Amino acid sequence: SKSPMAVPPRKKVEEAAMLDKRLSSRGLALDPKGYFLVGVNRENSTITAKFFSTILNADGKLCDLDGNVLSCDSDNRAPPAKEFACRTAKEMTVEIFELWPKCPVASLVHAAYLGREFQKAEAALYSGTYYEQD
């Protein structure tokens, strides 16, 4: 049997957490084709992703397909264009990026962000901890 791996010193763990918090607060350009809401469904033991289609209006603001300007903190949104429920982050990325014929993710930044979120959701699902999307 393998011996446990060494854990970084507490100071390094705290520094990494502070760096992550700072990076999470930076501004990002939204993908003009849409966005995902990532979650955890504990009843079904899955991570979930709901894709919402969007457009940019003449002022460059992100809107739903009816032209309504979107707000990040609003629960008033159209139904998702597509929904996914997978057991692992890897399964989710395969479903979205490899098997979805019309995958609308146009930005590598967006794809990398989604991969990180799916990993966080999977870790929360299997450790029993709280998940909140960045």
Side-chain angles (χ1 to χ4, degrees):
S1 110
K2 294 182 180 181
S3 60
M5 303 297 283
V7 176
R10 183 173 179 84
K11 182 178 181 190
K12 293 288 186 187
V13 172
E14 289 170 355
E15 287 172 358
M18 287 179 8
L19 173 63
D20 221 39
K21 187 174 182 176
R22 183 173 56 82
L23 290 173
S24 290
S25 66
R26 74 194 189 287
L28 293 175
L30 294 173
D31 195 320
K33 295 195 177 198
Y35 64 95
F36 286 83
L37 292 182
V38 179
V40 171
N41 183 323
R42 296 191 188 280
E43 287 180 18
N44 296 331
S45 298
T46 58
I47 56 176
T48 61
K50 297 177 182 179
F51 176 74
F52 296 85
S53 294
T54 58
I55 56 173
L56 290 176
N57 69 11
D59 297 327
K61 293 188 178 180
L62 201 61
C63 300
D64 63 21
L65 296 181
D66 293 326
N68 301 307
V69 175
L70 296 172
S71 169
C72 289
D73 57 0
S74 174
D75 287 332
N76 186 20
R77 53 178 66 89
K82 188 144 178 78
E83 296 185 55
F84 300 88
C86 297
R87 295 159 291 191
T88 67
K90 186 179 285 187
E91 181 183 23
M92 183 70 78
T93 57
V94 168
E95 288 288 326
I96 292 173
F97 299 113
E98 296 177 30
L99 300 178
W100 187 10
K102 295 184 180 183
C103 176
V105 177
S107 160
L108 289 177
V109 172
H110 192 196
Y113 161 78
L114 288 170
R116 290 190 303 272
E117 286 303 314
F118 298 148
Q119 283 293 143
K120 280 177 36 186
E122 179 184 329
L125 174 64
Y126 291 111
S127 68
T129 57
Y130 178 74
Y131 169 75
E132 182 175 50
Q133 186 171 355
D134 240 355

